[in-house]
Amino acid sequence: AQSVTQLDSHVSVSEGTPVLLRCNYSSSYSPSLFWYVQHPNKGLQLLLKYTSAATLVKGINGFEAEFKKSETSFHLTKPSAHMSDAAEYFCVVSSGGYQKVTFGIGTKLQVIP
Amino acid sequence: GAVVSQHPSRVICKSGTSVKIECRSLDFQATTMFWYRQFPKKSLMLMATSNEGSKATYEQGVEKDKFLINHASLTLSTLTVTSAHPEDSSFYICSARDSQPILNTEAFFGQGTRLTVV
């Protein structure tokens, strides 16, 4: 069994300030973890993924996330928010083989000018 | 990364008609494809798992006679919403995984289809 908890449904930051989107997971197996972004009326775009290699993962657009097994967390961060980062972000867990992925409920990021 | 093409991106149809949504893996073969539905202000909910050459596996609560899934080839799966009603209006997204037996491989998502039933 696996599950994902995104702790904040909505996050608001000022442009140029750091972004932190939190994600905790549970999994019976060694998981793969992903962050996807969805802009309004658009499909999902992969930001970054963790698949048992380096625990600090760098993604596109300056985002990165750190896999912490002891805390079962995979929080997404960015040093400086840009207006174009305003979107909905999904944390996703997948465990082995072709098992279906499990999505978090999503965090809507608002960037204030 | 691999590309999954979903078509159409937007469709408006009348109540009672049927709508077909296509999901294609453009540069890889996908034995398994997944169909998701996104409700307003909610996350993506898995509707069904589409298996090439066999019947789809539907999640609990999803009407298989209403949401017909066909996966006739390793690169194409279709979702047909039959006798559509306004409550079927939603954002539908497909995803596909490479058939190569690599553990923990990511799923690639289509662009999504915004269905509006009037």
Side-chain angles (χ1 to χ4, degrees):
Chain A
Q2 61 190 25
S3 67
V4 178
T5 303
Q6 288 185 246
L7 298 159
D8 307 295
S9 59
H10 189 272
V11 170
S12 184
V13 301
S14 297
E15 189 176 17
T17 64
V19 175
L20 170 63
L21 305 183
R22 298 183 293 167
C23 173
N24 286 91
Y25 71 93
S26 68
S27 175
S28 302
Y29 306 95
S30 296
S32 289
L33 293 155
F34 310 86
W35 276 98
Y36 286 88
V37 60
Q38 184 181 33
H39 288 92
N41 296 317
K42 295 285 182 66
L44 294 169
Q45 180 183 20
L46 179 68
L47 277 179
L48 48 79
K49 62 181 177 181
Y50 165 78
T51 55
S52 75
T55 56
L56 181 62
V57 181
K58 294 187 184 296
I60 62 171
N61 302 334
F63 285 95
E64 63 180 41
E66 186 171 7
F67 173 72
K68 293 185 176 180
K69 187 175 180 178
S70 61
E71 299 177 10
T72 60
S73 69
F74 191 58
H75 301 333
L76 181 70
T77 60
K78 183 173 180 176
S80 177
H82 191 272
M83 293 300 295
S84 60
D85 295 329
E88 186 138 24
Y89 293 79
F90 293 96
C91 182
V92 177
V93 64
S94 173
S95 299
Y98 303 106
Q99 291 186 30
K100 58 195 177 190
V101 299
T102 300
F103 282 80
I105 198 167
T107 299
K108 193 166 187 176
L109 175 64
Q110 180 185 20
V111 181
I112 303 168
Chain B
V3 177
V4 174
S5 175
Q6 189 173 338
H7 178 79
S9 58
R10 291 176 177 270
V11 59
I12 301 173
C13 70
K14 293 183 177 180
S15 288
T17 61
S18 296
V19 174
K20 180 184 285 188
I21 303 170
E22 292 187 348
C23 181
R24 293 180 185 274
S25 57
L26 296 186
D27 52 1
F28 66 98
Q29 294 184 331
T31 305
T32 304
M33 291 186 177
F34 305 92
W35 287 96
Y36 296 83
R37 179 175 178 176
Q38 187 176 33
F39 293 93
K41 300 183 180 180
K42 291 195 174 183
S43 187
L44 287 92
M45 304 298 295
L46 180 67
M47 297 173 66
T49 302
S50 167
N51 301 297
E52 187 267 337
S54 64
K55 291 184 179 180
T57 303
Y58 290 82
E59 296 299 301
Q60 191 173 11
V62 178
E63 299 175 61
K64 63 180 180 181
D65 293 331
K66 180 167 188 59
F67 297 100
L68 299 179
I69 291 174
N70 183 279
H71 193 161
S73 78
L74 287 171
T75 58
L76 174 64
S77 176
T78 60
L79 168 67
T80 301
V81 183
T82 63
S83 187
H85 290 278
E87 56 265 31
D88 298 326
S89 299
S90 192
F91 194 62
Y92 295 86
I93 299 179
C94 70
S95 76
R97 289 190 172 186
D98 198 310
S99 296
Q100 293 299 312
I102 301 172
L103 290 178
N104 298 327
T105 186
E106 69 180 274
F108 300 99
F109 289 87
Q111 302 92 326
T113 297
R114 172 71 62 187
L115 170 63
T116 304
V117 184
V118 298

